[in-house]
Amino acid sequence: TYHLIISGRGDMASSPWITSYASRIISVEIGDGVTSIVASAFYNCISLKEIKFNAVAMDDLTSNANLFMYARNDAKLIIGKNVTKLPAYLCYYSKISSVEFEVGSACVSIGNYAFYNCAGLTSITIPESVKSIGISAFRGCTAIREIKFNAIAMDDLTQGATLFRYVANDAK
C-alpha cells in the first residue's frame, strides 16, 4: 500500500503513478502550494480511502477533472484548516462518503458543483467560516441524511433551489 503526498508550488501537470501504483494508493495528501491538478490524476485509485486537501490557492477545476471518481465508497475527505476555498468540481461524481473540516477551518467558499453527484456522501457539517456555497454544490448527493450549517452569515446563497436538489428525501 502507498501514501501519496503531493507537495511543492504550482501546477501538477502529470500523474506518473497512474500506470504502476494507482490501485495500491490508500491515501493522498495534497499540499498547500498546489494550485491545479491534472484531470483524472487519481484515475484507477480504487483503494483510496483518505484524501487530505490542504491546497490554499487551488484554481477551480472543470467537470472533466474526475479526480476522486475511483476512490473507495467509504473514502473520507479532510479539508485542512488553512484552506479558504474548495474549488469548483473538486469531488464531482466522486465516491467519498464523508467530508471533515479541520477544527478552526478558514474555508469561506465552497465552489460550484464541488460535491455534485457524490452519491455516497452521507453527512456534512458546514463550518462557521463559510460565507458562500456555489451552484449545485451538493446536488445529487442522494445518500445525505444530515446537513449541519454552522455558518454564521451566508453572503452568497443565490442558488439555494439547486444547492441540495436530489438529496435523500429524509435528509434533515
Side-chain angles (χ1 to χ4, degrees):
T1 60
Y2 296 99
H3 302 276
L4 176 62
I5 298 173
I6 302 166
S7 60
R9 300 268 177 245
D11 298 348
M12 187 184 93
S14 66
S15 49
W17 53 84
I18 285 182
T19 54
S20 301
Y21 305 103
S23 65
R24 295 178 288 182
I25 295 172
I26 63 168
S27 70
V28 169
E29 182 172 345
I30 300 168
D32 62 354
V34 177
T35 56
S36 74
I37 297 178
V38 65
S40 301
F42 308 104
Y43 177 80
N44 206 28
C45 288
I46 57 174
S47 300
L48 185 57
K49 60 182 178 181
E50 184 175 273
I51 301 132
K52 292 182 181 176
F53 184 82
N54 294 310
V56 296
M58 182 169 289
D59 299 331
D60 282 337
L61 302 166
T62 61
S63 62
N64 67 346
N66 298 324
L67 291 186
F68 307 113
M69 188 176 215
Y70 295 94
R72 289 172 37 142
N73 289 339
D74 60 347
K76 173 171 62 171
L77 174 66
I78 302 166
I79 310 299
K81 70 178 182 177
N82 295 323
V83 173
T84 57
K85 172 188 125 180
L86 292 185
Y89 298 98
L90 177 64
C91 294
Y92 188 78
Y93 277 96
S94 78
K95 294 182 178 180
I96 62 165
S97 63
S98 67
V99 177
E100 177 184 310
F101 289 84
E102 287 185 346
V103 175
S105 175
C107 186
V108 295
S109 170
I110 297 174
N112 296 339
Y113 307 98
F115 298 97
Y116 185 90
N117 270 352
C118 288
L121 185 59
T122 57
S123 68
I124 188 162
T125 299
I126 310 294
E128 65 182 43
S129 57
V130 171
K131 304 292 182 237
S132 86
I133 300 176
I135 297 168
S136 297
F138 298 95
R139 184 176 182 163
C141 296
T142 55
I144 283 186
R145 297 288 185 258
E146 185 173 52
I147 305 156
K148 292 182 182 177
F149 274 95
N150 289 335
I152 295 171
M154 296 295 288
D155 293 338
D156 183 13
L157 197 55
T158 57
Q159 300 300 324
T162 63
L163 184 61
F164 291 103
R165 182 173 280 169
Y166 307 119
V167 298
N169 289 334
D170 60 346
K172 54 182 177 175

